[in-house]
Amino acid sequence: MQHTTLSLRHGLLALAVMAVWGSNFVVIRLGLDQFPPFLFAGLRFTLAALPGIFFLPRPNVTWLNLAAYGVLIGAGQFGLLFLAMDGHISPGLASLVIQVQVFFTIFLSMARSGERVRGFQILACLLAVAGIAVIAAHVNGRTTPLGLALVVLAAASWAVGNIVAREGRASNFLAYVVWGSLFSAPPLLALSLLVEGPAAIGQALGHATLGGWAAVVWQSLGNSWFGYASWAFLLARYPSATVSPMALLVPVFGMGAAVLWLGEPMPAWKLAAAALVILGLGVSVFYPRLHGYLARG
């Protein structure tokens, strides 16, 4: 029987996952100081897959589904995200803008099912778009139009990956992520070889510090293994409506970590953009539940 309220212990676990996923954007920024973006992403997914595939059974989905998910999340979401964060957008803003994947996922799902877009979804999307517009109006040396566009494309790729994962219906999502990483690493490493070149790869691997490798490990074991395993654990014990709203804290932790660790400035316009995007996400998540509660009352 599933509970509808997180226990204290499980609430703290959910907060820990949000802290890991949010602070991960700062870890990405630090790792990019030592590794070029495609190589960094390729190393992340290599370690996420190996040696995990020898301990976790292959999920009960087709190889095509696994490959599509791996390429979309690896080369699509994280390849584009790492490229954007390599001097084109700040970590705090990246953690915020990437959350528009929620709206891409919703509208793609509705397009596939033929469901009609509802008024609150339009309102939620408009709020988020207004937040992105505020960011676009303040592009500067730390955040460029290219960086903003790359993160939006990364969010779109993440959304398509979500649809692929949902249609795969894997019973063990951690195993699904680990085995999907087998298909994430090769295109990223190939892009690194073609775009960044053997000299840059050799330079990075030969001069990476312990901190650089710790960033790779954090990406793979902290972000993927701990994060997804804990999330799957919580979803198995609580309704999605109880657990999923916690994801609204990811950009909060992301922007907070960027301020504390990197000294990222937080002017009023950035706070306004964050408020608009998070409000849009909140409307999308909470309105159907509130409407259902009022209808039953």
Side-chain angles (χ1 to χ4, degrees), residues 123-137 269 272-273 276-277:
L123 172 62
C125 187
L126 288 175
L127 286 168
V129 169
I132 302 301
V134 170
I135 297 171
W269 68 263
L276 286 167
V277 173

Side-chain angles (χ1 to χ4, degrees), residues 3-259:
H3 301 282
T4 56
T5 304
L6 288 170
S7 69
L8 175 61
R9 183 177 59 164
H10 291 161
L12 291 174
L13 177 61
L15 279 175
V17 174
M18 296 307 102
V20 168
W21 282 349
S23 61
N24 186 53
F25 290 86
V26 170
V27 175
I28 293 171
R29 177 56 265 160
L30 296 174
L32 287 169
D33 289 336
Q34 300 195 33
F35 299 101
F38 291 133
L39 176 63
F40 187 24
L43 291 172
R44 172 230 166 104
F45 284 102
T46 299
L47 188 56
L50 301 173
I53 60 170
F54 299 112
F55 300 98
L56 293 170
R58 186 173 79 83
N60 55 336
V61 301
T62 65
W63 284 109
L64 180 61
N65 181 274
L66 267 180
Y69 178 80
V71 171
L72 286 163
I73 298 299
Q77 180 191 348
F78 282 97
L80 291 171
L81 176 64
F82 282 26
L83 186 62
M85 291 183 63
D86 190 29
H88 300 291
I89 192 168
S90 65
L93 286 181
S95 72
L96 178 67
V97 175
I98 195 74
Q99 300 308 319
V100 300
Q101 63 85 16
V102 170
F103 301 105
F104 285 124
T105 301
I106 290 172
F107 292 131
L108 284 171
S109 298
M110 297 179 77
R112 290 182 68 81
S113 66
E115 184 182 347
R116 184 174 60 86
V117 178
R118 298 168 64 185
F120 79 91
Q121 291 168 326
I122 295 174
L123 172 62
C125 187
L126 288 175
L127 286 168
V129 169
I132 302 301
V134 170
I135 297 171
H138 290 85
V139 292
N140 50 38
R142 292 174 63 90
T143 298
T144 68
L146 175 61
L148 188 59
L150 286 172
V151 177
V152 171
L153 287 173
S157 186
W158 184 3
V160 180
N162 287 339
I163 302 299
V164 170
R166 183 179 302 166
E167 294 183 353
R169 300 181 183 277
S171 57
N172 184 335
F173 194 65
L174 175 60
Y176 185 75
V177 169
V178 169
W179 280 82
S181 297
L182 275 179
F183 297 93
S184 301
L188 287 166
L189 294 174
L191 282 169
S192 179
L193 187 62
L194 291 171
V195 176
E196 296 158 352
I201 293 172
Q203 174 77 7
L205 295 177
H207 293 83
T209 66
L210 184 60
W213 288 111
V216 175
V217 172
W218 180 262
Q219 286 282 296
S220 305
L221 303 186
N223 193 56
S224 294
W225 279 73
F226 168 75
Y228 283 114
S230 300
W231 199 243
F233 172 86
L234 292 169
L235 287 173
R237 287 159 178 78
Y238 296 91
S240 177
T242 299
V243 178
S244 60
M246 296 294 292
L248 294 174
L249 294 175
V250 170
V252 176
F253 278 110
M255 299 185 81
V259 171

